[in-house]
Amino acid sequence: MAMIGEMDADSVVGYFRNKSILITGSTGFLGKVLVEKILRVQPDVKKLFLLIRAPNVESAKLRLQTEVTAKEIFQLLKKKHGVGFENFIEEKICPLAGDIMHEDFGLDSAQLRALCKDIDIIVNGAATTNFSERYDAAFDVNVLGAKNVCAFANKCTKLKMLLHVSTAYVAGEQEGLIPEKPFLMGETLRVGTHLDIESEINLIKEARRELRANCSTEKAEKKTMKELGLKRARHFGWPNTYVFTKAMGEMIMGHLRGRFLVVIIRPSIITSTLKEPFPGWMEGIRTIDSVMIGYAKQILPFFIGDLDLIIDVIPGDIVVNAMMVAMAAQLKDQQPQIIYHVTSSLRNPAPSALVVESMHRYFFENPLCKGRNGEHVRMKKMRFFSTLAQLRFYTALVYKLPLQMLGLLNIALCGVFSRYYNKLSRKYIFFMHMVELYAPYGLFKGCFDDTNLERLRMAMNTDQNNNGSYYFDFDPKSVDWDDYFYRVHIPGVVKYTCH
Ligand SMILES: NC(=O)c1ccc[n+]([C@@H]2O[C@H](COP(=O)([O-])OP(=O)(O)OC[C@H]3O[C@@H](n4cnc5c(N)ncnc54)[C@H](OP(=O)(O)O)[C@@H]3O)[C@@H](O)[C@H]2O)c1
């Protein structure tokens, strides 16, 4: 059990003064929220070294300018610094062209030596987040990437902490209360199986060798590698390649850690910012958002999901606040590793029915679809099936059967409907694939215990800062889900992902 020294907003802000932090994943959604917040609350941070995938420093700099600091989330900071913004960024951010897939991130030895002497904290947020990514690609980033980050961390002479961003769903489809427990090397979610990461590497190499020996096309290779990832994940009890490889990443972190503290942050489904730097900022369409957009565009009339259950979501700024407080926290007892669930299901669960109701209300009042003459189209409520069997039965009746009949007609008419038939078939297969991938989340019956994070919250003195706003709120109880989804998140999804 972690004993944590008392903190307040000032001491957390103060902790970042004169610190050098290496951050991976800064061009992603969560990375931007983190970089912006550190620079906004602690302009005296020494340096943020951002590892960005790019062929050289110039390209990394360009990516930083166009994909990070040019984004709306930096508006407040821009306003604060006015004409001095560019200079401020130049002084505080050092872009590094590198890739976590490579040993030492592919940095040259001079760069490496200088960095290793300077870095106080490493934040590893880089990942491939696609549920059904090719096994080799997901493994390279989420597993070998974690290994390379650890190896690099071991070379950093004054490193205090390695903070690794994982996901709460490394728990797979467990039910009941899920503790903030580390994975032991080789542990799986399926009784009777044992995971050997080296064997997985060999399996991937062998699959690649075979594909090349058979002169497979790129498309066929991709398909085989995606299938291999799902097959291996399911064999060991995880529902998809993403969470499986993230779980292996955690195992590696725990196994290879050095003298420094390893903090593993496990957020659930991260949604748009609740408050900071302003409500509703987000990037990328994932999980629940793709369902919402599919509904709003009227291409998804039904989906899988039990509306009697809850959905564990957590706004991005809450995750970043928790990360920053976890970095600043002084653990009184020597712990090699600590895990924090940054989740909502235990303290303030969001009922799925409420989320769906907010979605219906929002799009009934603000429909995205227009008719032929520009008039708003009347929206119908989306239908949810609470079991896969029900959904499969319904789709077989309403879609698969007519599709098979069209297939027969097409044969009888010497292929006149081939293009149309193939298009519908592809859509049907894609839809069913999405259903299978999302079902574990729509039907999730677990609840994430966040006792460690609660201890961190208890250690925070929640006095208001000078502006009267609380700088490091990471309490899900402060979210009114109905208001958040209707007024903040859904408008944010529409604004930032639909145009
Ligand atoms: N979003 C969620 O709902 C959610 C929930 C739970 C946990 N998480 C975790 O939170 C973290 C951040 O997620 P996110 O949503 O911000 O992801 P994201 O938007 O997809 O961003 C991923 C980031 O990782 C970088 N990256 C990928 N491969 C890399 C490599 N080989 N070397 C260096 N950088 C690489 C990407 O760089 P490029 O721009 O070059 O691709 C990008 O900056 C991830 O670890 C994810 O697993 C996310």
Side-chain angles (χ1 to χ4, degrees):
M1 182 192 295
M3 298 292 291
I4 303 167
E6 220 179 85
M7 294 176 280
D8 60 15
D10 286 341
S11 62
V12 175
V13 168
Y15 176 79
F16 290 92
R17 178 173 297 118
N18 214 21
K19 290 281 188 306
S20 290
I21 309 172
L22 175 84
I23 302 176
T24 72
S26 62
T27 52
F29 164 50
L30 192 66
K32 282 174 206 154
V33 184
L34 175 67
V35 170
E36 192 276 343
K37 173 104 185 193
I38 297 176
L39 292 178
R40 181 158 45 84
V41 301
Q42 185 45 281
D44 291 329
V45 65
K46 187 173 168 195
K47 211 72 160 180
L48 299 184
F49 292 96
L50 306 187
L51 190 83
I52 297 175
R53 284 199 282 193
N56 51 49
V57 176
E58 280 66 42
S59 317
K61 206 169 177 178
L62 190 66
R63 285 198 70 192
L64 168 69
Q65 286 163 352
T66 55
E67 295 175 42
V68 184
T69 57
K71 297 289 174 174
E72 201 175 329
I73 190 173
F74 280 83
Q75 253 180 12
L76 201 66
L77 201 63
K78 264 188 194 146
K79 219 164 148 189
K80 184 175 160 192
H81 288 272
V83 288
F85 178 73
E86 298 300 335
N87 285 343
F88 174 67
I89 293 294
E90 192 133 332
E91 186 197 334
K92 294 297 167 186
I93 297 187
C94 175
L96 300 168
D99 192 319
I100 62 164
M101 271 162 51
H102 305 310
E103 207 177 306
D104 295 330
F105 312 139
L107 299 172
D108 66 43
S109 48
Q111 261 179 327
L112 194 68
R113 263 197 309 278
L115 269 180
C116 290
K117 272 193 246 153
D118 200 16
I119 303 288
D120 297 291
I121 304 166
I122 297 175
V123 177
N124 184 38
T128 62
T129 53
N130 181 349
F131 286 1
S132 59
E133 183 57 272
R134 296 173 55 128
Y135 193 28
D136 50 352
F139 197 95
D140 280 350
V141 181
N142 297 348
V143 188
L144 297 182
K147 184 178 172 197
N148 292 330
V149 170
C150 251
F152 175 84
N154 274 301
K155 292 178 190 165
C156 293
T157 45
K158 60 174 189 152
L159 191 78
K160 294 171 186 70
M161 176 185 296
L162 165 56
L163 185 143
H164 174 70
V165 187
S166 185
T167 162
Y169 292 99
V170 288
E173 292 162 275
Q174 289 177 55
E175 299 186 4
L177 201 62
I178 301 165
E180 291 156 305
K181 194 170 93 38
F183 275 104
L184 299 175
M185 185 52 94
E187 195 179 333
T188 73
L189 299 179
R190 194 165 184 217
V191 182
T193 57
H194 177 81
L195 176 62
D196 175 7
I197 294 183
E198 278 305 313
S199 302
E200 294 307 301
I201 297 177
N202 292 334
L203 193 77
I204 290 172
K205 280 188 188 154
E206 188 50 41
R208 271 191 195 140
R209 226 189 335 263
E210 221 170 274
L211 284 161
R212 288 193 188 144
N214 293 337
C215 300
S216 301
T217 60
E218 205 176 306
K219 200 171 157 196
E221 186 179 312
K222 189 173 169 186
K223 186 167 177 278
T224 307
M225 279 300 181
K226 278 185 165 209
E227 284 168 0
L228 182 63
L230 286 174
K231 190 174 146 203
R232 296 309 287 165
R234 286 169 184 164
H235 172 73
F236 293 113
W238 279 274
N240 60 58
T241 312
Y242 166 60
V243 289
F244 172 45
T245 52
K246 289 294 280 188
M248 284 194 271
E250 281 196 16
M251 290 175 202
I252 293 265
M253 285 278 166
H255 191 64
L256 298 180
R257 61 169 186 256
R259 307 164 306 281
F260 46 83
L261 173 66
V262 172
V263 172
I264 295 184
I265 295 280
R266 288 184 187 158
S268 50
I269 298 169
I270 309 179
T271 46
S272 59
T273 53
L274 172 71
K275 292 183 196 150
E276 284 190 66
F278 54 85
W281 188 80
M282 71 161 312
E283 227 179 39
I285 307 179
R286 296 184 196 95
T287 40
I288 57 166
D289 302 329
S290 32
V291 177
M292 285 185 184
I293 295 301
Y295 167 69
K297 293 192 170 168
Q298 299 216 305
I299 47 179
L300 201 63
F302 63 93
F303 206 60
I304 187 81
D306 185 342
L307 301 193
D308 290 332
L309 298 175
I310 56 154
I311 180 143
D312 199 312
V313 287
I314 193 86
D317 48 342
I318 289 196
V319 178
V320 160
N321 288 344
M323 286 166 69
M324 289 181 70
V325 173
M327 285 186 237
Q330 300 298 317
L331 302 188
K332 287 188 176 159
D333 41 356
Q334 280 295 312
Q335 291 213 73
Q337 176 173 275
I338 184 155
I339 292 180
Y340 295 111
H341 277 163
V342 186
T343 49
S344 60
S345 47
L346 184 65
R347 313 276 161 192
N348 182 19
S352 300
L354 177 147
V355 177
V356 169
E357 165 53 27
S358 305
M359 173 183 88
H360 285 150
R361 192 153 52 98
Y362 183 84
F363 290 114
F364 270 51
E365 292 168 14
N366 310 279
L368 281 193
C369 287
K370 298 231 165 98
R372 277 211 191 116
N373 303 317
E375 78 282 7
H376 283 322
V377 169
R378 247 182 87 81
M379 297 289 291
K380 283 196 193 129
K381 285 193 172 180
M382 191 171 183
R383 184 170 177 186
F384 284 88
F385 290 93
S386 58
T387 68
L388 269 173
Q390 282 173 3
L391 186 139
R392 285 195 195 112
F393 180 70
Y394 179 79
T395 44
L397 217 61
V398 178
Y399 293 92
K400 202 173 172 185
L401 208 61
L403 195 61
Q404 281 169 343
M405 283 159 70
L406 179 69
L408 291 175
L409 190 67
N410 186 40
I411 294 168
L413 296 177
C414 305
V416 279
F417 293 127
S418 284
R419 270 183 69 182
Y420 183 55
Y421 171 76
N422 290 338
K423 191 175 151 195
L424 288 184
S425 292
R426 274 198 304 272
K427 270 191 176 175
Y428 178 78
I429 291 167
F430 178 73
F431 172 74
M432 290 311 288
H433 177 66
M434 294 308 286
V435 165
E436 302 282 341
L437 280 182
Y438 282 35
Y441 304 94
L443 308 176
F444 189 70
K445 293 191 179 72
C447 172
F448 297 107
D449 182 8
D450 65 348
T451 302
N452 286 344
L453 198 73
E454 182 64 3
R455 260 183 219 122
L456 207 56
R457 276 192 284 264
M458 301 300 282
M460 267 307 264
N461 176 349
T462 54
D463 273 356
Q464 307 273 295
N465 67 28
N466 298 342
N467 301 323
S469 62
Y470 178 40
Y471 257 3
F472 293 102
D473 183 6
F474 56 102
D475 189 347
K477 288 201 286 296
S478 62
V479 192
D480 171 345
W481 291 118
D482 187 31
D483 186 70
Y484 169 74
F485 274 99
Y486 180 75
R487 262 181 248 288
V488 177
H489 182 66
I490 302 174
V493 172
V494 171
K495 180 171 178 188
Y496 294 105
T497 66
C498 287
H499 300 293

